Every structure is written in structure tokens, then in C-alpha cells.
Amino acid sequence: MTSSRSTRRDALRNRDAILDAAARCLSDDPGASMSDIAKAAGVVRVTIYGHFASREELVEAVLIRTIDRSEAELAELDLEGDPVAALDRLVRRSWRIVDTFHRLLGAAEEALSNERIMAHHAEPMARVQALIERGQREGSMRRDLSAEWLTTCFSALLHSAAAELRAGRLAEADADRVVATTVVSLLTAPAG
Amino acid sequence: MTSSRSTRRDALRNRDAILDAAARCLSDDPGASMSDIAKAAGVVRVTIYGHFASREELVEAVLIRTIDRSEAELAELDLEGDPVAALDRLVRRSWRIVDTFHRLLGAAEEALSNERIMAHHAEPMARVQALIERGQREGSMRRDLSAEWLTTCFSALLHSAAAELRAGRLAEADADRVVATTVVSLLTAPAG
DNA sequence: TCTTATCTCGACACCGATGTATAAGTTAAT
DNA sequence: ATTAACTTATACATCGGTGTCGAGATAAGA
């Protein structure tokens, strides 16, 4: 098992290229084939099997990697203080990431049956929900809808914005403002 | 081509059963196979090819049929008068339909390349957008976000509600109120 | 009842994707 | 420079899905 020599640099580079390519391919087509991914990585298909035993394993690796990166990106974000301001920061910072992740999850659902992965997905959303619950307790966010449902809306709106951006129906320059305005106003809307 | 005898009743029945089954199967799994659909229709796979030349043709037929039915269901809805009240009626009446349709469209995107179909899809959404635009003109709906984007939000929220309902995270009894409240409050929110 | 349309059954060719195997070439560690 | 690790090229087995075909069974129209 443990060989005398250490892993070669080009092998590590390839492994990385494959993960990058897979992330790109799978997020814009959940059904992307191993050949597609290999081509995008500048590698021959068989090479992928030198690093990942199966498509399933590759998808899982990509997903975990993306989760870790997202976590890192969002971890440094301050969610303390005024909940509405925190929400605004959160939205502006995370909506692109959330979307990539969401699309990747689409690919994973077809290829994976791993609850551990789903647990990983639940965690960041739980953080959003906690923020919303705090906003509700402190009176700056609406109480007529459940925090759970509002969290779902949060996610849906971020995802829609990303889709509109991709489709060219939303201008890059407007995007941040639009998505933040939308989410914040929905969560702070009057009880009617 | 035109045979002396008219089409047999059981053939029509089967054709119908196939369309029904396809609508069900494809809306909860866009990748459902011809075998799956045949099984659900109580028919053998080859029989489908007696009615539809290919998977593509079947998907198209299902889509058109669903569009027609949705149109019929929504056509009788009165969108005149107070735009906000009309929006409320529209949401409550259409969110389930919109979702089925949306899911079917997911199946179609993989199997079809037909712009005519996409045009059909655009029409009902255009009606929603027109209503929103009227609301904006008459001052009862927000103007700080474009009618186009608000239409997208409308669709996204309806779709989310349906997904939550399916997942059991939203109670059947609450659903109508929740989705209507959400959409209406987002579209009438103050400009901040 | 007779006739014809339609359904079933089983088999088949085809395609694209996954995963394995082997030999020969290339690259990096030591 | 030597050696082990890695990549390539190529071929193959397998699997599931699509679409086709022909023969026999069955149901409906006249």
C-alpha cells in the first residue's frame, strides 16, 4: 500500500485539474460524462480512473471540495449585529456560491445516495435559518411565515438570480442589488 | 393512410393512458424511460411506438397536452380589477399546476430542441408579467425591481412551495396561505 | 361472424456510457 | 541515470436505453 516514493507532482496536478473540470462540467450539466470531464481536464478518460474509482466517487469528491471551499468563503463572514444587515451581507457574499453548489447537488442526487453529503448540505442552510430566527425574535423580521419556509425562499431566490444571470436576463451590474433587495424585503415585509 | 375503419376505442384509451402515465412519470423523474412509462400505463413498451414515433414525440405530446389543460384551467380566471387581489387569486389557483408544468419542462429540455414549445411556455408567464406591470403602473406593486425579475420570483416561489409540499416540509393545509402571502408581500413590499 | 386494427411477446441491432485490462510511452523522484 | 509512478492508446466486456421487426393472440368494428 504505502509505496517508497511520494506522489508525483504531475499526478497531483492532474487530480486537481480533474476536480476543477468536473466541478465546471457537472454544474452546467448534471449528466456530464466521464469523457466530457476528461476532455475538459485535458486528460484521457482512463486517467480519471487512476484517481477516482468510479463516477460516483468523483462526484462525491467534487461535492465535498466545493462544500469545503464554500464554508471557507463564508466562515469569515460576520453574522452578528443587526440581523437584517447581516442578511444583506450574507446574500451579497454567497449567492453565486450557493448556486454553484446547488447545481452540483443536482448532479450528486443522481449519482449518490450518501446521507453524509446531505448532512453537509444542511449545515450552511441551518446557519441561514438561525439568522432568520434571530431576526424574528428581535422583531426585525416577519413572523407570519416560518423561518424554515423563509430559508427555502432565501435559497430559491438566490438560485433564480443566478439562473437569470446565466441566461443573460439579469445584468451583472444589477445582480447584487436586485438579489439583496429582493431577499431583504421579503424577509422584512410587514405582516399585512 | 386513411383506412376504411375508424380508430378503435381501446387504441384511444391506450393512447390516453400512455399520456397520463408519461405525465406522471416524467414529472417526478425527467429521465423516466419508455419502459417505466409503459409499465405505469399498463401497456407493453412497443405499444407506445404504435402511438408515438419516438420518445421525443411522446414528450412533446405530453407537454402540449399539459399546456392546453393549464391554459384551460387558468383561462377562466379573472385578472381584472385590483391587481393585488388578482395576483392573490392567480397564485392560489395556479401554483400546483405551474409546478407540474415546470417539472415536465425539465424533462422536455433534455429531449426537445423545439422553440415552438418554449414559446408556449412563455405565454402564461407573459400574462403574469402583464399583471405585474399593471400593478406597478397603478401603484399597488413595487417599482424598484423590474416586472421581469418579479415574474421570475413569482415562478420560483410557486415552484419552491410545491417542492416543499412534496418533501413533506410544508403542510397541505398551510400551503395556499403561505405561498399567496409570500408572493403578494414580495410584490407589494415598500421600496425601502 | 368475419375482418382488420391493435396489442403482446420475444428477439435483435445500435448507441453511449461505465469500468477493466494491457502494453508502450513519458515524467518525475531518488 | 535509474527506477518507479503515472499517462496514454487501444481494446474489450457489460449495461441500459432506444427503436425495429415479425408472428401470434386478442379485441373491436361491420
Side-chain angles (χ1 to χ4, degrees), chain B residues 55-174:
Chain B
R55 186 177 199 280
E56 187 169 336
E57 215 172 87
L58 172 60
V59 171
E60 183 167 339
V62 170
L63 195 61
I64 289 177
R65 193 203 210 195
T66 306
I67 290 170
D68 288 349
R69 291 186 172 184
S70 307
E71 294 278 340
E73 172 87 13
L74 298 180
E76 49 191 62
L77 203 60
D78 177 26
L79 295 184
E80 301 304 310
D82 175 33
V84 175
L87 180 70
D88 189 83
R89 284 196 299 274
L90 177 59
V91 169
R92 289 172 188 268
R93 182 70 164 268
S94 69
W95 69 282
R96 289 158 206 269
I97 299 174
V98 167
D99 179 63
T100 307
F101 180 68
H102 193 275
R103 294 176 70 80
L104 228 44
L105 225 128
E109 272 167 10
E110 285 178 3
L112 260 58
S113 57
N114 202 329
E115 299 103 357
R116 194 162 45 84
I117 307 288
M118 297 305 151
H120 269 286
H121 169 233
E123 197 206 301
M125 280 303 115
R127 213 152 41 189
V128 174
Q129 188 169 327
L131 176 61
I132 293 175
E133 280 162 358
R134 186 162 69 86
Q136 289 179 321
R137 274 197 308 277
E138 297 182 6
S140 52
M141 292 187 194
R142 70 193 301 168
R143 284 197 178 92
D144 61 331
L145 294 171
S146 74
E148 190 181 12
W149 165 246
L150 290 174
T151 305
T152 300
C153 293
F154 170 94
S155 170
L157 293 172
L158 263 54
H159 183 242
S160 289
E164 292 294 293
L165 185 68
R166 267 196 308 277
R169 288 189 296 269
L170 185 61
E172 176 71 38
D174 287 353

Side-chain angles (χ1 to χ4, degrees), chain A residues 25-39:
Chain A
C25 293
L26 292 173
S27 72
D28 66 50
D29 173 17
S33 72
M34 294 298 260
S35 306
D36 294 336
I37 296 171
K39 210 169 295 174

Side-chain angles (χ1 to χ4, degrees), chain A residues 67 71 101 114-126:
Chain A
I67 290 170
E71 294 278 340
F101 181 68
N114 202 330
E115 298 103 357
R116 193 162 46 83
I117 307 286
M118 297 306 148
H120 268 286
H121 168 232
E123 198 206 301
M125 279 304 113

Side-chain angles (χ1 to χ4, degrees), chain B residues 5 7-8 11 14 43-44 47 51:
Chain B
R5 293 193 181 178
T7 316
R8 262 166 53 179
N14 277 338
V43 165
V44 119
T47 303
H51 296 278

